[in-house]
Amino acid sequence: MESNLLTDAGADEMNQDFSEYVANLQLHMTLQARNLVPTLKQTLVDSRQQLLHQTQANFEKLVSRQGL
């Protein structure tokens, strides 16, 4: 009976350590993602609008090249 209490306590501590590791990993990944995503800068043409037009042009080019 006493050995079960020790293993349960050990398992709880291991689960807590693992949960803390996952939380730290998620935080690290979030911070990395913020550095990888380009910022949307205000230029003569709004960069979001420019991105939308470029995406639409790429999509239309892709669709036009597919055979029906």
Side-chain angles (χ1 to χ4, degrees):
M1 181 86 171
E2 190 174 315
S3 64
N4 284 345
L5 292 175
L6 292 177
T7 57
D8 288 344
D12 286 342
E13 185 177 334
M14 188 170 141
N15 283 340
Q16 185 177 3
D17 289 344
F18 187 72
S19 294
E20 187 175 330
Y21 169 76
V22 170
N24 285 331
L25 182 61
Q26 288 174 331
L27 175 62
H28 176 74
M29 291 173 68
T30 300
L31 293 173
Q32 284 289 10
R34 294 180 90 192
N35 290 333
L36 295 175
V37 176
T39 57
L40 296 174
K41 298 178 183 176
Q42 297 291 336
T43 58
L44 277 175
V45 177
D46 186 21
S47 63
R48 290 171 292 181
Q49 185 179 8
Q50 186 178 9
L51 179 61
L52 175 63
H53 287 301
Q54 186 62 44
T55 302
Q56 185 176 4
N58 289 341
F59 181 74
E60 289 175 1
K61 187 186 333 179
L62 181 72
V63 169
S64 69
R65 292 181 179 174
Q66 290 181 351
L68 294 177

